[in-house]
Amino acid sequence: MLGHMEIDKAIRECDDRRLKTKYNNAIYVIQRALTLYSIEEVAFSFNGGKDSTVLLHLLRAGYFLHKEAQNCSDRGLNCFPIRTIYFESNSAFPEINSFTYDTASRYGLQLDIISLDFKCGLESLLKANPIKAIFLGVRIGDPTAVGQEQFSPSSPGWPPFMRVNPILDWSYRDVWAFILTCKVQYCSLYDQGYTSIGSIYDTIPNSMLCINDSGCNTKFKPAYLLSDGRLERAGRVKKSSPSIPGPFSVAGDISDSVDPHKNGMLVASLIAVGDEILSGTVEDQLSTSLCRKLLSIGWSVSQTVIVQNDIDSVAEEVERHKSTNDMVFIYGGVGPLHSDVTSAGVAKAFGVRLAPDEEFEEYLKHLIGDYCTGDRNEMALLPEGITELLHHEKLLVPMIKCQNVIILAATDSAELDKEWECLTELGKSYGLLAIGEPFISRRLTTNLSDVEIAQPLSKLCLEFPDVSIGAYRKCRRNGSLIINFKGKKRARIDLAVEALCKMFPSIAFTEVN
């Protein structure tokens, strides 16, 4: 049996900087909880899975370190005094039950076995005991993790208690790094290819770990050999299939206003984030290119804005644009630097927090390797509960979509071209970005003065409301006036051009190709 001292020693002596940081943060949360609540007021929910196994040993080490800090003697520290709750179920794997009872015996756990459902069982337990906080092995990515912090009060309608989540920000890789580094025992199902264990009705071995030997037998590699933590739940049987097949589901993410059948004109706005643009150090070239690309698929651009590298400024613009546009594209301010505030601004605009996204972190790990480890990978913190990763084989990392806001990572025209190509391909396949009838334009130049042509153009705008008619000069001092006709019907544009030309001598205008 591995002692609590050996857990701490194994982590301190390992070379994994990331694991050390995760361990220290978890121990801090545990010690904080043990300071806030007496030992009679805390409990630990154990289910025999890998996450709660990790939490068990963290609690053992954390309790010892907490008592050591209080100058307590080693006597009485060999037993684990925290009340442990196990919700026994008829649908649990026999191996899970066996492992749970063996673990309880091995470490002297005070096991409360509850046969009721989770909510009723908690109500009964809390009514009979003075429990105020429960340690849970919840991690970001779990269905129940959305909105939770390391200390989160129970949800409305549930019995009141504090949920304590010491490993909330741990990834699949972190869990197995701890188990293997500390050499703790775990449920045998994980050696049979199971990577995320639920009930016997919705859990199968992960096909990513399948080995086909020379015979007809199917074997599986152990769970810790799953190289891509994003596929942890690939062994969970889905009760229903998404309405749209593919690498991601867009059902429920696109508002009705994006439906081209309900609205003939799709509108987008662009937000550029960067003090360097506002200071004139860098020219914003992406907005012009992005406007042209949107017009080419039938979208209209309502506004382009530039905001400073400030979370509140970004949040304010995103909040304003997301409710009045079918899609908002935001670029700049993406990365690990202190000035890269786009993700935080988007999160604030939607009223959610930034949380570690294990799937995105896996992509970053493959892209930048060891630079992805350390105290905190800021680039893997994404708006919680609203983030959808847009996968494409041509992209090294997926694009980020938060409801109707798309965060682009492009910094130049070539990168934008690649991202746009992927977006439009995904749009055709999965309805992500509606592809409409493109805008058509004709341009004329003239040496007529603004005063001469102002009234005729105003008249044309009234006669052809379906054609956008604009005029501008590249140089007011001696440049020609350029008149632009834009619309979706070639015949209407031609009629508008013809009507203007009839108002003046035939030599007054020249077509611009």
Side-chain angles (χ1 to χ4, degrees):
M1 181 179 76
L2 198 65
H4 38 247
M5 281 283 289
E6 293 172 278
I7 295 287
D8 190 68
K9 185 172 183 289
I11 298 296
R12 302 293 175 198
E13 293 179 352
C14 78
D15 296 325
D16 191 334
R17 282 192 306 129
R18 176 192 171 93
L19 179 59
K20 286 182 178 179
T21 298
K22 298 288 186 178
Y23 172 80
N24 288 334
N25 291 342
I27 292 296
Y28 174 80
V29 172
I30 291 167
Q31 290 179 315
R32 180 66 178 154
L34 294 176
T35 301
L36 292 171
Y37 305 99
S38 69
I39 203 68
E40 293 78 23
E41 294 175 330
V42 297
F44 162 47
S45 179
F46 185 68
N47 62 15
K50 62 185 186 303
D51 298 338
S52 63
T53 297
V54 166
L55 182 53
L56 166 63
H57 295 289
L58 287 171
L59 285 170
R60 293 176 61 232
Y63 176 72
F64 170 80
L65 293 169
H66 172 68
K67 300 303 285 186
E68 185 182 59
Q70 295 180 330
N71 297 317
C72 294
S73 66
D74 289 346
R75 287 177 299 176
L77 292 182
N78 292 324
C79 294
F80 184 70
I82 298 177
R83 182 184 296 275
T84 305
I85 313 164
Y86 179 55
F87 289 86
E88 195 174 52
S89 170
N90 293 330
S91 62
F93 282 86
E95 292 88 343
I96 286 286
N97 282 327
S98 298
F99 175 72
T100 298
Y101 298 132
D102 289 346
T103 301
S105 175
R106 185 179 304 115
Y107 297 107
L109 306 184
Q110 300 178 27
L111 204 61
D112 281 320
I113 301 172
I114 299 176
S115 300
L116 301 171
D117 65 80
F118 197 75
K119 186 176 182 180
C120 293
L122 276 180
E123 288 176 344
S124 176
L125 181 72
L126 269 59
K127 190 175 293 184
N129 298 278
I131 295 172
K132 294 183 179 180
I134 300 178
F135 291 100
L136 300 168
V138 173
R139 291 192 292 115
I140 291 295
D142 294 342
T144 60
V146 175
Q148 288 204 50
E149 303 287 348
Q150 289 173 323
F151 288 84
S152 287
S154 55
S155 302
W158 282 71
F161 67 95
M162 182 63 72
R163 293 174 289 187
V164 184
N165 304 310
I167 62 170
L168 188 65
D169 65 341
W170 285 43
S171 70
Y172 182 85
R173 184 177 64 252
D174 297 329
V175 166
W176 281 110
F178 178 90
I179 290 173
L180 298 177
T181 298
C182 297
K183 297 181 174 59
V184 299
Q185 291 185 311
Y186 54 87
C187 179
S188 62
L189 288 174
Y190 292 111
D191 285 332
Q192 301 171 33
Y194 292 85
T195 54
S196 177
I197 301 174
S199 77
I200 57 176
Y201 302 112
D202 67 1
T203 310
I204 57 175
N206 194 318
S207 60
M208 297 297 106
L209 295 172
C210 182
I211 306 171
N212 291 315
D213 59 16
S214 55
C216 298
N217 297 323
T218 300
K219 296 183 179 179
F220 293 87
K221 293 181 287 186
Y224 56 79
L225 291 181
L226 183 69
S227 59
D228 192 342
R230 293 169 292 165
L231 303 174
E232 173 185 0
R233 299 180 71 84
R236 291 297 188 98
V237 180
K238 295 180 173 60
K239 291 182 173 63
S240 59
S241 301
S243 57
I244 301 175
F248 60 89
S249 170
V250 297
D253 285 339
I254 300 178
S255 63
D256 288 342
S257 60
V258 180
D259 187 344
H261 301 292
K262 293 186 178 182
N263 189 343
M265 186 68 70
L266 298 172
V267 182
S269 65
L270 317 180
I271 303 173
V273 181
D275 291 341
E276 64 279 5
I277 301 175
L278 292 170
S279 66
T281 307
V282 172
E283 182 181 352
D284 176 23
Q285 298 179 339
L286 297 189
S287 60
T288 301
S289 178
L290 196 50
C291 285
R292 289 173 179 161
K293 293 178 187 302
L294 284 162
L295 291 174
S296 73
I297 62 168
W299 284 64
S300 176
V301 178
S302 65
Q303 195 174 7
T304 65
V305 296
I306 304 170
V307 299
Q308 59 188 356
N309 295 90
D310 174 75
I311 293 175
D312 290 335
S313 299
V314 173
E316 183 179 335
E317 287 300 329
V318 172
E319 171 67 29
R320 189 158 62 89
H321 290 278
K322 70 183 179 67
S323 58
T324 57
N325 291 269
D326 298 295
M327 197 72 79
V328 179
F329 294 88
I330 186 168
Y331 54 91
V334 177
L337 300 175
H338 70 283
S339 56
D340 293 326
V341 297
T342 294
S343 293
V346 172
K348 187 169 184 177
F350 283 97
V352 301
R353 68 172 185 175
L354 284 177
D357 188 293
E358 183 174 338
E359 181 179 359
F360 197 64
E361 192 167 22
E362 286 293 333
Y363 277 103
L364 294 175
K365 177 192 172 188
H366 292 130
L367 179 64
I368 58 181
D370 291 339
Y371 291 101
C372 191
T373 62
D375 288 355
R376 198 179 188 199
N377 185 5
E378 299 287 350
M379 293 176 67
L381 297 176
L382 301 178
E384 185 186 29
I386 61 170
T387 294
E388 180 181 346
L389 298 182
L390 309 182
H391 309 271
H392 196 286
E393 59 185 7
K394 295 179 183 177
L395 297 175
L396 294 176
V397 294
M399 285 177 285
I400 300 165
K401 176 176 175 286
C402 300
Q403 294 190 14
N404 66 332
V405 177
I406 292 180
I407 301 175
L408 299 173
T411 57
D412 58 34
S413 297
E415 291 174 351
L416 179 62
D417 289 344
K418 179 182 286 188
E419 284 191 313
W420 183 258
E421 180 185 357
C422 296
L423 265 179
T424 51
E425 286 182 13
L426 292 172
K428 292 174 183 177
S429 301
Y430 306 112
L432 170 68
L433 189 66
I435 310 297
E437 187 179 353
F439 281 96
I440 303 165
S441 64
R442 285 184 64 181
R443 287 189 297 164
L444 305 178
T445 63
T446 182
N447 288 321
L448 293 171
S449 69
D450 293 2
V451 174
E452 290 176 282
I453 203 167
Q455 190 171 353
L457 285 181
S458 297
K459 183 180 178 182
L460 274 183
C461 290
L462 294 174
E463 293 179 5
F464 296 90
D466 56 331
V467 178
S468 174
I469 303 173
Y472 63 95
R473 293 182 186 274
K474 291 185 177 179
C475 177
R476 183 169 293 278
R477 187 172 49 189
N478 52 19
S480 299
L481 182 69
I482 300 172
I483 306 167
N484 188 62
F485 297 80
K486 184 185 72 176
K488 292 196 173 185
K489 297 189 181 300
R490 168 68 69 176
R492 292 290 292 170
I493 292 175
D494 291 343
L495 283 174
V497 170
E498 184 181 343
L500 178 63
C501 291
K502 285 180 179 180
M503 298 178 188
F504 296 93
S506 58
I507 60 170
F509 301 100
T510 303
E511 186 97 17
V512 179
N513 293 326

